[in-house]
């Protein structure tokens, strides 16, 4: 219990420091938030390791555990990028989200997972990493939309100054999407190679929605390269593709595990 609570406290402490830095227009200069963020990420990861060690079967990959792991990945990537002086303000969104998902997982409880061989575990971990990366891309898309909207209305808020220039934020968005697209491609490939019946009844909707999301992200990257897509068009494509991906994995897991009470 104390590990999860300590992680939440450190996440919220890092968030508070970032909010204060944004209000004082000192995000690029201040690094005080980095240490509680690192502590939060480390304790978050330790919590999952202890659960995996104490829980029979394979690693816990059930609905709330998967959500918490995605939150961990988002927090870790935000910390890594922010430590380099870019997009530290993203932690204002990702750190409290990671804290909330960890606490929900802790309060919901843990369930033993069926034993999975290394191939299926590789597929599952690739999927979670892809979802975390593309979730960061979705947050960047929202921030890009908010920044463009504020600039068009000539509303120069303190949080706007905390963001990088519009072109740099857009470049970071597409770099993140590119990495996430590669990870999603690897996820689909490992699914084809390692999942015995990818089109089984309880996997068909997940497979179709994942492929649709992959096509949407791929079309966005081609549109960016070939036609220079940017701005609101890039935001709409990113959020649509991410919505499909959320439905594919977490939507199906929610229905199967929490509504129908079946293993997914």
């Amino acid at each position: 219990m104390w590990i999860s609570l300590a992680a939440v406290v450190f996440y919220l402490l890092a968030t508070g420091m970032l909010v204060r830095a944004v209000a004082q227009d000192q995000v690029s200069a201040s690094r005080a938030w980095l240490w509680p963020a690192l502590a939060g990420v480390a304790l978050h990861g330790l919590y999952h390791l202890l659960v995996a060690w104490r829980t029979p079967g394979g690693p816990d990959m059930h609905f709330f555990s998967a959500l918490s792991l995605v939150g961990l990945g988002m927090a870790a990537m935000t910390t890594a990028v922010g430590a380099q002086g870019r997009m530290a303000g993203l932690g204002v969104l990702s750190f409290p989200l990671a804290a909330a998902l960890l606490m929900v997982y802790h309060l919901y409880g843990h369930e033993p997972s069926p034993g999975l061989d290394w191939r299926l575990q590789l597929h599952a971990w690739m999927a979670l990493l892809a979802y975390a990366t593309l979730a960061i891309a979705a947050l960047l898309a929202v921030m890009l939309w908010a920044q463009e909207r504020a600039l068009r209305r000539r509303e120069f808020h303190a949080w706007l100054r905390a963001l990088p220039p519009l072109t740099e934020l857009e470049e970071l968005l597409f770099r993140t999407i590119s990495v996430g697209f590669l990870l999603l491609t690897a996820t689909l490939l490992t699914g084809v190679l390692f999942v015995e019946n990818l089109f089984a009844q309880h996997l068909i909707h997940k497979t179709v929605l994942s492929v649709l999301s992959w096509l949407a992200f791929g079309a966005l990257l081609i549109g960016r390269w070939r036609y220079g897509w940017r701005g609101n068009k890039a935001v709409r494509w990113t959020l649509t593709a991410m919505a499909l991906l959320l439905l594919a994995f977490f939507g199906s897991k929610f229905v199967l595990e929490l509504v129908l009470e079946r293993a997914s």
Side-chain angles (χ1 to χ4, degrees):
M1 180 68 177
W2 71 268
I3 295 178
S4 58
L5 286 177
V8 168
V9 169
F10 280 120
Y11 276 140
L12 296 181
L13 180 59
T15 303
M17 289 180 173
L18 282 171
V19 169
R20 181 180 180 183
V22 168
Q24 297 177 351
D25 196 16
Q26 296 179 346
V27 174
S28 58
S30 175
R31 290 290 183 274
W33 63 270
L34 182 59
W35 301 111
L38 286 171
V41 169
L43 289 171
H44 194 160
L46 177 61
Y47 182 81
H48 277 275
L49 286 175
L50 289 175
V51 170
W53 178 53
R54 295 177 179 178
T55 304
D60 188 356
M61 292 289 183
H62 289 86
F63 180 77
F64 290 108
S65 176
L67 278 175
S68 178
L69 285 168
V70 169
L72 172 60
M74 294 175 67
M77 284 184 276
T78 299
T79 303
V81 174
Q84 299 172 7
R86 303 178 66 188
M87 288 306 301
L90 186 61
V92 173
L93 299 175
S94 62
F95 292 151
L97 178 60
L101 294 176
L102 172 59
M103 188 50 59
V104 168
Y105 174 49
H106 175 77
L107 294 175
Y108 177 76
H110 318 113
E111 297 184 24
S113 295
L116 301 176
D117 64 24
W118 68 269
R119 296 171 301 173
L120 292 178
Q121 288 194 34
L122 175 63
H123 170 69
W125 287 113
M126 290 293 294
L128 291 174
L129 188 56
Y131 299 144
T133 304
L134 292 170
I136 289 289
L139 291 182
L140 290 173
V142 171
M143 296 176 78
L144 178 64
W145 169 81
Q147 187 181 43
E148 284 195 329
R149 184 171 180 269
L151 290 174
R152 283 197 304 269
R153 297 186 175 189
R154 300 181 182 277
E155 298 174 351
F156 302 104
H157 303 288
W159 65 263
L160 190 62
R161 294 191 298 271
L163 297 177
L166 195 63
T167 55
E168 184 178 342
L169 179 58
E170 196 171 68
E171 180 184 356
L172 182 59
L173 168 64
F174 278 97
R175 286 184 179 179
T176 306
I177 291 174
S178 298
V179 174
F181 180 75
L182 291 175
L183 290 169
L184 184 57
T185 302
T187 300
L188 294 175
L189 287 176
T190 54
V192 171
L193 293 173
F194 300 148
V195 178
E196 292 183 1
N197 189 357
L198 195 63
F199 292 96
Q201 183 178 1
H202 66 289
L203 291 178
I204 181 66
H205 51 282
K206 182 187 297 186
T207 304
V208 170
L209 289 170
S210 296
V211 171
L212 288 175
S213 176
W214 180 81
L215 290 173
F217 278 120
L220 173 58
L221 292 174
I222 293 174
R224 170 72 170 183
W225 168 70
R226 183 68 177 82
Y227 304 108
W229 288 359
R230 57 184 304 175
N232 286 332
K233 179 174 286 189
V235 170
R236 288 194 298 270
W237 275 85
T238 301
L239 296 182
T240 299
M242 190 62 205
L244 289 169
L245 196 59
L246 286 174
L247 286 174
F249 189 71
F250 291 108
S252 61
K253 286 181 78 68
F254 177 84
V255 172
L256 287 171
E257 295 179 9
L258 302 183
V259 177
L260 301 179
E261 296 184 352
R262 293 165 52 189
S264 62

